[in-house]
Amino acid sequence: MSNKTPTKPLLRGFCRLAIIASASTTLAACVAGNNSSSSETTSSAISSEASSSSSLAVSSSSITISSSPASSAPITTSSSIESSASSAAGPFETLRIQAQDYDRVNFNEATPGTREGTATGICAEGGAALMDLVNVTDQNGICAIGYTIEGEYVQYPIDIPAGEYDITLRTASDTGSDATQTLTLNGSSLGALSTAAQGWETYGSTTLRGVSISGGANVLTVTFTGAASNLNYIEISEADNTATSSSQATSSSAASSTGGGNMLGTVIDDNDYNPNKSKGVMRYGSPEFYLGGFEAGNYACFDNVNLTGVKSLNLRYGRLHDSIGRVAVYLDSAAITEDPAANNPEQGTNIGEFETTSTGAYENFDNVSFRLNSPIEGEQTVCFRAVFGGGVMNLDHFTLSDVDTGQNLTPTNYTFTAPTAPTQLPAISVADGQVLFGGEAKSIAGVSLFWSNFGWGGSGFYTKETVKSLKDNWNAKLIRVAFGTDDYGSYFDDFWSHRLKLFEVVNAAIENDMYVIIDWHAHIIKSDPTNPARNPTAFFKEMAEKYGSYNNVIYEIFNEPLDENWSGSIKPYAEGVINTIRTIDPDNLIIVGTRNWSQRVDEAANDPINGTNIAYTLHFYADTHRDDIRSFARTAIEKKAALFVTEWGTVAAAGTGNANARETLIWMDFLHENNISHANWALVDNLTKERTNPASDKHGSSILNLGSDFYGNWSTGDLTESGNLVMDILENWDNWDSWNKAPYQ
């Protein structure tokens, strides 16, 4: 027998045998607890027959079945388990056969010299030569056959009227997807049932339906194959011809499977995936394995899954992130062509999507069901693609079910279009070293979203509700999309899903009359003309084609160059991208990053880019950068270089620590005086990739506390120290000179 430890709960109450109902009486043999004095009895038959009396006595070779509790529950050796039903007695009702009532002569125990487990009471009786039993607390249970090994079997002689029946097994497993019980009747195959690995104490029922059984003596054999499983009991009931279930049997000699080795109730395990058709996922864990790596854009495909009769897929998954994850279910392929011009980039057929939520940890597994909207016949390649949300799921297995339940969300539209109504905002221009709004020199204030990279903590806030909330509640005039094109989880790793978040925010800004910055958020120049995800020129060409007619859209073509040389590297790169944009969009504002984390605006001012409506990026963090950085800005202003602060923080340059309100207000005075617009870093909660000391350190520049809603309308309690300061600044930016700043000074 297997060394896998099955469930070992204390024995509570149980029903001993079949429940047979007549028109007037239900008879049941029940006991109320565990009795160690139970004896083993040999009988020629265990009979359950409808009667009008409350107890039924049969011959001396049979067990007495009573409606009142008995003093013991004997383990029997029976030649036949019999149930009769006549028109006088009413229809045949469920016959329940407890697992321990197998034929003590015809069975196969692989380790007859070893009694495994710690069963008590009647479940411990019989000696090592018999099948290993375990106590159960599952419904209607006494003892379960446990510690099974491939090839072990038990037999149950039955004697019931001829007819069509449903045969249900009550089983549990915790050892993978291939825990299977094969059923035969008189040596002829009926089919197989599979047990989902949900834990030794989590029993479930799977059913073969429509089994034709001849009247008289028959022998039902249950053979254990694959991983270990526990068998609690078997139920035989009249066939429900209106239902489809775990498996479908059509005769006593054959059961119709769903093909390709799959049957309803089959569990498809993580190791069944096809790595050659999958992207970015792999098996993790020990000793229990699962598929991990479901970051947005990654997918796993499973071949030869027969969906005939399947109504839902029940997935066992784990997830850490609090944000909502989304998974698309595809047939044939989950690949999406990385071609923004494609009318339909999806290579397979998207049959719907479902959402995942946190299970508390990646290896804490829970269930989610995906419902098939319409029948699908035959063998299919089934793929699960992570659409968005960091760490969307770890997949342990999924089960083919005939239950019509679960999620089926509208497939994601990968061909986002811009809003039809143009913004009413004034156009932006640059003249005499100033950024003008409708021809007026002024500054506007807003916020920057965090890196859009999936798995970093910020992508969940890329919602249209967030945009609207910032405008309505915070007086924000500007939002910046920090479109991550660097490091893992970025545009490079997830082409299409990443773009969806960008489009959602930009469209929301247009619809809410806010200025929006499309920021190529990177620290190093990376360009590959053959790869759309690594081609900023192609990216901004597409953005100009899609959004160039909207006055409020701003292009930030390089976030923070590090040690790139301005004249030899940054400027030539910028000129190439700018020329491409200007062939489509002649006048929207373009912002260019500068050397050393976009601080050396003085270098750009000394060697400016020729062109229309161009500004230069200035970044600072108030607790670290003070008058030294402002001196670079003053040099640029004197040389008539227009500046735009697309990112600034109230804290230290590392993004951690407390907000320095005094130094922040000095910077705000400087920006207001010089008509320099700005966006605060960053709209995210304070648990992010950049949190270097999870035990004590918070990402101080985060506006929100951990767990804040992704859809806005935050209370002051949702805000960090920095967030409260930033909100006050935005709310009062239009009356900056008259605002009482004393509480922060």
Side-chain angles (χ1 to χ4, degrees), residues 437-449:
F437 295 84
E440 178 186 358
K442 59 183 291 187
S443 69
I444 60 172
V447 299
S448 174
L449 296 169

Side-chain angles (χ1 to χ4, degrees), residues 321-346:
H321 292 283
D322 291 327
S323 62
I324 299 296
R326 190 168 177 122
V327 179
V329 183
Y330 282 87
L331 300 182
D332 300 327
S333 171
I336 297 183
T337 302
E338 294 188 351
D339 179 5
N343 291 327
N344 180 14
E346 297 169 284

Side-chain angles (χ1 to χ4, degrees), residues 326 328 346 350 353 387-388 409-415 500:
R326 190 168 177 122
E346 297 169 284
N350 187 328
E353 302 181 2
V387 178
F388 62 75
L409 307 177
T410 302
T412 297
N413 176 17
Y414 287 95
T415 55
L500 295 178

Side-chain angles (χ1 to χ4, degrees), residues 445-447 474-476 678 725-734:
V447 299
W474 288 33
N475 189 41
H678 59 92
L725 174 57
V726 171
M727 181 182 68
D728 278 352
I729 289 171
L730 266 60
E731 287 179 337
N732 292 282
W733 192 249
D734 295 337

Side-chain angles (χ1 to χ4, degrees), residues 43-121:
S43 67
S44 61
I46 300 174
S47 178
S48 175
E49 185 170 356
S51 171
S52 60
S53 65
S54 62
S55 65
L56 176 64
V58 295
S59 68
S60 59
S61 60
S62 303
I63 292 177
T64 298
I65 301 175
S66 173
S67 61
S68 60
S71 61
S72 64
I75 299 179
T76 66
T77 301
S78 63
S79 60
S80 178
I81 297 175
E82 178 181 329
S83 175
S84 65
S86 66
S87 58
F92 181 93
E93 296 290 343
T94 299
L95 171 66
R96 179 177 300 121
I97 307 170
Q98 298 293 339
Q100 69 270 17
D101 291 329
Y102 62 92
D103 187 330
R104 295 299 191 274
V105 176
N106 298 302
F107 68 95
N108 178 34
E109 158 62 46
T111 56
T114 304
R115 184 72 173 182
E116 299 188 78
T118 57
T120 60

Side-chain angles (χ1 to χ4, degrees), residues 575-591:
E575 288 172 332
V577 177
I578 290 170
N579 289 340
T580 297
I581 293 174
R582 288 295 182 238
T583 61
I584 303 161
D585 179 354
D587 51 17
N588 277 28
L589 182 66
I590 298 174
I591 306 174

Side-chain angles (χ1 to χ4, degrees), residues 514-562:
M514 292 176 68
Y515 292 99
V516 56
I517 298 172
I518 300 175
D519 161 37
W520 185 265
H521 204 77
H523 293 137
I524 301 172
I525 294 174
K526 294 179 180 178
S527 183
D528 179 357
T530 66
N531 185 342
R534 294 178 179 268
N535 189 341
T537 301
F539 172 79
F540 281 106
K541 177 178 183 292
E542 182 192 0
M543 295 302 104
E545 291 171 341
K546 188 180 293 288
Y547 294 117
S549 61
Y550 297 90
N551 291 336
N552 60 323
V553 174
I554 302 167
Y555 313 106
E556 184 179 1
I557 62 176
F558 198 160
N559 165 49
E560 284 182 342
L562 299 185

Side-chain angles (χ1 to χ4, degrees), residues 515-692:
Y515 292 99
V516 56
I517 298 172
I518 300 175
D519 161 37
W520 185 265
H521 204 77
H523 293 137
I524 301 172
I525 294 174
K526 294 179 180 178
S527 183
D528 179 357
T530 66
N531 185 342
R534 294 178 179 268
N535 189 341
T537 301
F539 172 79
F540 281 106
K541 177 178 183 292
E542 182 192 0
M543 295 302 104
E545 291 171 341
K546 188 180 293 288
Y547 294 117
S549 61
Y550 297 90
N551 291 336
N552 60 323
V553 174
I554 302 167
Y555 313 106
E556 184 179 1
I557 62 176
F558 198 160
N559 165 49
E560 284 182 342
L562 299 185
D563 292 325
E564 309 269 2
N565 178 272
W566 169 258
S567 296
S569 180
I570 302 171
K571 181 182 177 183
Y573 159 84
E575 288 172 332
V577 177
I578 290 170
N579 289 340
T580 297
I581 293 174
R582 288 295 182 238
T583 61
I584 303 161
D585 179 354
D587 51 17
N588 277 28
L589 182 66
I590 298 174
I591 306 174
V592 181
T594 55
R595 190 178 68 83
N596 194 35
W597 309 94
S598 283
Q599 295 169 1
R600 296 308 302 268
V601 290
D602 57 321
E603 295 177 350
N606 288 327
D607 185 13
I609 296 171
N610 292 324
T612 303
N613 296 343
I614 296 171
Y616 302 97
T617 307
L618 175 66
H619 289 178
F620 67 85
Y621 283 80
D623 196 44
T624 301
H625 307 129
R626 303 186 183 184
D627 207 52
D628 54 338
I629 304 301
R630 284 192 289 272
S631 69
F632 298 147
R634 291 189 188 98
T635 297
I637 291 169
E638 291 169 359
K639 293 182 175 291
K640 303 296 183 181
L643 303 182
F644 204 118
V645 175
T646 62
E647 178 180 320
W648 66 272
T650 65
V651 297
T656 56
N658 297 323
N660 189 325
R662 179 180 178 278
E663 291 298 329
T664 294
L665 293 181
I666 291 173
W667 266 107
M668 294 299 103
D669 285 338
F670 177 81
L671 299 183
H672 196 271
E673 177 184 348
N674 290 283
N675 296 314
I676 300 174
S677 297
H678 59 92
N680 175 260
W681 182 266
L683 188 71
V684 67
D685 63 28
N686 59 21
L687 180 63
T688 70
K689 172 182 178 288
E690 297 181 8
R691 183 176 171 185
T692 56

